[in-house]
Amino acid sequence: MHRYRTHNCSELKKSDTGKKVKLSGWIHSVRDHGGIIFIDLRDHFGLTQVVIDPKREFYKALEHWRVETVVCFTGEVTERTPETINPKLETGEIELVAEEMEILGEAIVLPFQIAKEEHAPEATRLKYRFLDLRREKLHKNIILRSKVISFIRKRLSEIGFNEFQTPILTSSSPEGARDYLVPSRLHPGKFYALPQAPQQFKQLLMVAGFDRYFQIAPCFRDEDARADRSPGEFYQLDVEMSFVTQDDVFKIIEELMAELFKTFSDKKVDDAPFIRIPYRETMRRFGTDKPDLRNPLEMIDVTASFVNSGFNAFASVVKNGGVVRAIKVPGIAGQPRKFYDDMIAFAQSVGAKGMAYIIWTGGEEKSPIVKFMSRQEIDSLKEAGKIQDGDVMFFLADKEKKVMEIGGAVRTELAVRLNLIDKNVFKFCWITDFPMYELDEETGQTIFSHNPFSMPQGGMDDLLKKNPLDILAFQYDIVCNGVELSSGAIRNHRPDIMYKAFEIAGYAKETVDEKFGGMIRAFMLGAPPHGGIAPGIDRIVMLIADEPNLREVIAFPFNQQAQDLMMNAPAEATLKQLRELHIKIALPEKKEEKKAHEGQPPAAT
RNA sequence: GGGGGCGUAGCUCAAUUGGUUAGAGUGCCACCCUGUCACGGUGGAUGUUGCGGGUUCGAGUCCCGUCGCUCCCGCCA
C-alpha cells in the first residue's frame, strides 16, 4: 500500500465497497456524536466521509480533532445505507470506516474558516493566502486559470504559433508606464528595467523570421492599482505575427476568444467575427473606448435642435462651440420624480453643470425645459430619437469632449439603475482606427496617443501631408463587457516612417537611435510587415470566473499598495546588499519633520 | 498626489442616534450525545471599540490628527 494514499478524496464509488484503502487530506469538518464521529476529509479532488469509532486507539492520539489538520486514514470502503446517502457528495454513496490514523500535519486555531462561507478581511486573506486558496471558490478560480492558459497554449501551438521566453532583466523604455528598476552590481550606477511588455523582443522575433510568436508573458508596470488592474505585475497573452494585415490578427484572436469563453463559461458568447467600431464612433455613441455592449443605451447628437432654442442654458453652450447629446431610454416614463433628481445629481457628480430630460407620456411632453422650446424643436428631438410614448430622453450640453465623458458615465449609471445589463452574456467588440497622435493638454505638444510602434494608416504619405491629429493608426483594442482585454497594432517596420513618426511626436533622430537603436537596426536589415496583440490573461480569467476583482484569479496577488503581505515584500535590503550595488538610501522626509521645517530657512550645512 | 467608504471578540456583524457592566452568530475551551453531512445540546472564556489627542458630568457614538484596508480620480505607450 502506498505511503500516503491509494485513492484521492473524490474517486471512491459504490463499486469500491469492501476495498481496504488509504486516504490523505485535510479535516474539512468534524461531526462528533459521542459514540460515533464523522469527518469530511478533503483534498484537491473532493470530499470523502470517514467514520470513526471513538473506542479506536488512534482516536486518543489527536488531542483536538481540529479542522484543517492533515491526516491519513486507512480503512475499509463501506456502502452507505440508502437513508444515509449524501447526494451532494461525489463519494456520497460510500464512506471510509477508519481502522488506522496518522497525523501528517497538525493545524493550530485558524485565522478564518475554510469550510464555511465567511468573509474575512482582505489583509488577513492575503497574509494567509495559502489558507484562502484552500477555499472552494478561490481554488476553483486558480484551476480555471491554469486550464485557460493550457487551452490557449494548445490552440495556438496547433495553428503554427511558437512560444518563446524573452528577458525579464532588460532596459527601460522612454514611453509608457513607470518602470521597475533593478540595480546592476557589475555596472555601478546603472539599472535594468523589468519589461512593461515584451514589445520590442516580440517584434525582433518576427524580424528573426519566426513567423508566429506567443508567450504567456509577465509584464511589470509601477502604476497604481484598480479592481481590474493589478499593481506591479500581470500576465499577457502576447501574440505577434508576420506578413499579416489587421484582419488576419482579428481572425485569429476572435476565434480563439470565442472558443475559449464558450469552453469555460456557461454564458452566451458572441460568435466570431466580432463587431468593429471605429474609435471616433465609439466615443460619440458610448462616450468610452471600452463600451459595454450589454448596455443597450447610446448617445445621439441633437445639437441642431438647440441652436436657436429658447432654452438658453443649452443654446449658449452651442453658440460657444459646444454640443448637445441625448440618451434615449425606452419605456421608463413611469419612474418617480426622485429617479430623475438622482440621475441629475449623478451627472453633476461626474462633472455636468446640469442635465435636462423630457418624458413623453400620454401624448404630451413632461419636462422642465419644453416650455422654452418650440413645437418644431421638440418634434425634431422626437424624430431624432424615434421616440414612442413612454420613452424618456436625457440631455447634456458642454464641450464635445466633456459631454462624451459625462454622457458615457450617465449611460452606464442609467443601465445599472434600470437593470438593463444582461449578466448572462459576453459581448465582444473591436475598437479600431485609433488616432496616431493627440494633443498633450498641459504642454500643447503632439504626442503618441497609444503605441509609438504602430503603423500610421496612410504610411509616409499621411505623416507628410495630414494634420497629425487626423492621422489614424492600425491600432486596435478588443473589449469584452466593458473590459479592455487588450491593445494591439500592425507595427511600423519601416525605419524611414519610424523616424518621421517620432519626429512628429518631438523625438530627434538621435533620441530614436539611442532608445530604439536595436530595433531600428533590425528594421534596416530586412524586416517583415508584422503585427499583434496582447490580451490580459488575468482579465480574461476574471471575466470567465465572474469575479469583480483581479485578486480572485491570481494565486499570490499584491494588495493595493503593491505589497505581498505573506512574503513581506517589498522589504529593506541589508547594508551588505546595498554596498555591493553601490546604492545609498535617501528616504523622503517624514510629514512632521516637513511641517517643522516649514517657514524656516534651510539649516546651514 | 487627491477624493469617498470602512475599522467594535480569532472571524461576520449589532449596540434604540452621547447615558449604567459593549451584545449575537460563528470559531475557541469543557461536558453530553451511535447516522451526521453547515449535526445537535449544556456551560464557559475571549474586547486598549485601529492608534493619539480634544469636547463633555459622561464618548464605540461628536470633533481634530494619525495608521491600516478598500473603491475611485490622476497615472496605466
Side-chain angles (χ1 to χ4, degrees):
Chain A
M1 198 175 266
H2 185 268
R3 170 73 177 83
Y4 295 117
R5 63 184 178 193
T6 56
H7 298 76
N8 69 43
C9 291
S10 86
E11 63 183 331
L12 291 170
K13 297 277 172 288
K14 202 155 73 175
S15 54
D16 295 303
T17 303
K19 280 186 191 161
K20 186 82 162 264
V21 301
K22 203 185 251 187
L23 295 180
S24 286
W26 287 261
I27 297 178
H28 187 70
S29 67
V30 181
R31 294 176 292 281
D32 185 346
H33 291 243
I36 186 170
I37 296 131
F38 300 100
I39 282 183
D40 285 339
L41 194 67
R42 184 195 75 234
D43 65 8
H44 172 73
F45 306 95
L47 289 175
T48 301
Q49 173 161 286
V50 179
V51 186
I52 296 167
D53 179 347
K55 289 194 279 292
R56 293 265 181 196
E57 267 307 302
F58 69 74
Y59 179 69
K60 297 173 193 82
L62 194 55
E63 199 178 339
H64 300 286
W65 287 84
R66 185 168 284 139
V67 287
E68 297 308 312
T69 288
V70 180
V71 291
C72 174
F73 285 108
T74 310
E76 193 178 305
V77 180
T78 310
E79 192 178 340
R80 297 201 199 184
T81 58
E83 69 276 14
T84 61
I85 285 174
N86 183 352
K88 282 188 273 183
L89 285 188
E90 291 271 326
T91 58
E93 289 188 316
I94 57 92
E95 58 198 4
L96 180 68
V97 177
E99 290 157 16
E100 291 168 48
M101 186 274 290
E102 185 187 357
I103 301 160
L104 299 177
E106 206 164 341
I108 57 169
V109 176
L110 303 168
F112 54 82
Q113 297 303 300
I114 310 299
K116 305 196 173 180
E117 277 181 40
E118 187 181 73
H119 194 78
E122 192 85 28
T124 315
R125 291 180 56 200
L126 290 172
K127 186 173 173 190
Y128 298 95
R129 191 63 171 177
F130 45 88
L131 284 184
D132 206 12
L133 286 165
R134 285 185 201 162
R135 297 165 118 177
E136 194 180 3
K137 185 76 202 281
L138 201 48
H139 204 83
K140 272 189 178 159
N141 285 352
I142 300 303
I143 291 303
L144 170 68
R145 184 186 177 106
S146 168
K147 287 186 171 154
V148 163
I149 289 175
S150 115
F151 179 96
I152 289 169
R153 286 209 159 101
K154 183 162 170 281
R155 265 296 170 280
L156 289 180
S157 302
E158 279 167 7
I159 54 174
F161 284 83
N162 294 297
E163 184 169 8
F164 299 92
Q165 281 74 51
T166 51
I168 298 299
L169 293 175
T170 180
S171 59
S172 178
S173 65
E175 292 278 328
R178 219 172 282 121
D179 287 311
Y180 276 99
L181 292 179
V182 179
S184 162
R185 175 180 59 85
L186 294 176
H187 303 278
K190 293 191 173 175
F191 295 83
Y192 301 94
L194 304 183
Q196 294 182 24
Q199 183 64 35
Q200 293 189 56
F201 292 113
K202 70 172 174 177
Q203 292 192 236
L204 292 168
L205 286 166
M206 294 302 96
V207 178
F210 286 109
D211 203 74
R212 285 179 166 194
Y213 147 97
F214 84 98
Q215 178 180 200
I216 308 297
C219 303
F220 305 90
R221 295 177 193 174
D222 187 3
E223 296 294 345
D224 290 340
R226 290 288 182 278
D228 66 349
R229 198 171 79 206
S230 272
E233 55 184 77
F234 62 98
Y235 282 80
Q236 286 184 338
L237 163 58
D238 200 33
V239 170
E240 198 74 6
M241 305 157 70
S242 289
F243 305 110
V244 290
T245 63
Q246 184 169 288
D247 288 345
D248 297 317
V249 177
F250 284 10
K251 189 164 191 299
I252 295 280
I253 295 300
E254 63 201 1
E255 283 175 3
L256 177 70
M257 288 299 145
E259 203 184 347
L260 179 66
F261 277 68
K262 281 175 186 171
T263 303
F264 292 104
S265 174
D266 295 330
K267 297 186 182 184
K268 188 180 177 306
V269 182
D270 278 350
D271 288 313
F274 299 151
I275 61 167
R276 303 176 187 190
I277 309 171
Y279 173 79
R280 293 213 163 103
E281 184 184 331
T282 185
M283 293 307 289
R284 200 169 60 234
R285 290 169 61 193
F286 309 114
T288 172
D289 61 359
K290 43 182 181 178
D292 186 345
L293 296 182
R294 293 174 303 170
N295 178 349
L297 306 177
E298 54 183 275
M299 284 184 266
I300 55 173
D301 186 85
V302 291
T303 308
S305 302
F306 288 92
V307 177
N308 299 310
S309 160
F311 185 45
N312 284 326
F314 278 20
S316 67
V317 168
V318 175
K319 282 190 189 96
N320 288 318
V323 299
V324 185
R325 296 280 154 84
I327 300 174
K328 176 184 96 166
V329 189
I332 61 154
Q335 287 288 338
R337 173 63 189 266
K338 186 177 185 316
F339 173 79
Y340 299 96
D341 291 344
D342 287 351
M343 279 314 302
I344 290 167
F346 173 81
Q348 284 168 336
S349 78
V350 292
K353 292 188 189 76
M355 185 163 69
Y357 60 90
I358 300 178
I359 306 165
W360 278 270
T361 180
E364 58 181 24
E365 295 86 17
K366 287 206 304 196
S367 162
I369 65 166
V370 287
K371 59 179 175 237
F372 303 111
M373 301 179 67
S374 70
R375 184 75 250 158
Q376 194 191 354
E377 284 162 357
I378 295 167
D379 285 343
S380 72
L381 291 174
K382 198 173 173 181
E383 169 75 27
K386 299 185 180 65
I387 295 292
Q388 299 185 342
D389 203 58
D391 294 352
V392 173
M393 246 184 187
F394 293 89
F395 304 93
L396 291 160
D398 212 315
K399 296 270 179 255
E400 183 173 23
K401 195 177 168 200
K402 215 164 164 205
V403 165
M404 290 195 299
E405 191 185 306
I406 296 162
V410 169
R411 170 182 175 266
T412 303
E413 187 68 14
L414 280 167
V416 169
R417 291 195 189 202
L418 296 166
N419 203 16
L420 300 177
I421 291 171
D422 183 349
K423 298 264 191 323
N424 290 310
V425 298
F426 284 116
K427 286 205 161 291
F428 286 88
C429 63
W430 292 102
I431 306 300
T432 62
D433 303 329
F434 277 85
M436 185 86 186
Y437 301 100
E438 64 188 28
L439 228 42
D440 185 318
E441 292 198 357
E442 281 173 31
T443 63
Q445 247 272 213
T446 301
I447 54 171
F448 286 113
S449 70
H450 281 79
N451 188 325
F453 306 121
S454 303
M455 183 66 102
Q457 288 193 7
M460 189 59 113
D461 263 14
D462 272 22
L463 292 186
L464 292 171
K465 289 176 195 156
K466 277 196 175 173
N467 175 350
L469 299 180
D470 291 333
I471 300 170
L472 300 178
F474 283 117
Q475 163 92 35
Y476 37 83
D477 282 1
I478 184 167
V479 175
C480 176
N481 288 4
V483 175
E484 182 192 317
L485 286 184
S486 171
S487 275
I490 296 301
R491 320 296 173 187
N492 184 347
H493 69 287
R494 293 256 310 266
D496 54 334
I497 303 179
M498 184 92 106
Y499 283 127
K500 184 69 195 169
F502 271 95
E503 184 192 316
I504 292 172
Y507 290 86
K509 184 168 182 292
E510 296 70 41
T511 315
V512 180
D513 284 338
E514 188 194 323
K515 296 292 182 189
F516 307 107
M519 205 140 84
I520 293 274
R521 213 160 34 243
F523 289 170
M524 291 197 287
L525 289 163
H530 60 284
I533 194 162
I537 295 282
D538 312 270
R539 285 186 182 172
I540 289 173
V541 179
M542 176 173 136
L543 281 169
I544 295 175
D546 209 7
E547 290 287 358
N549 193 299
L550 274 182
R551 284 188 294 271
E552 304 301 317
V553 297
I554 298 172
F556 300 105
F558 273 167
N559 68 2
Q560 196 172 31
Q561 280 73 243
Q563 295 165 301
D564 184 331
L565 297 176
M566 194 177 59
M567 302 301 285
N568 194 25
E572 286 169 357
T574 64
L575 272 176
K576 179 167 180 281
Q577 288 174 314
L578 292 175
R579 265 199 301 273
E580 280 180 343
L581 295 169
H582 317 285
I583 294 222
K584 269 188 187 156
I585 303 291
L587 292 173
E589 257 184 291
K590 289 228 177 76
K591 274 185 184 168
E592 299 102 72
E593 291 162 14
K594 231 188 243 172
K595 269 182 202 157
H597 286 298
E598 263 168 34
Q600 291 176 20
T605 49

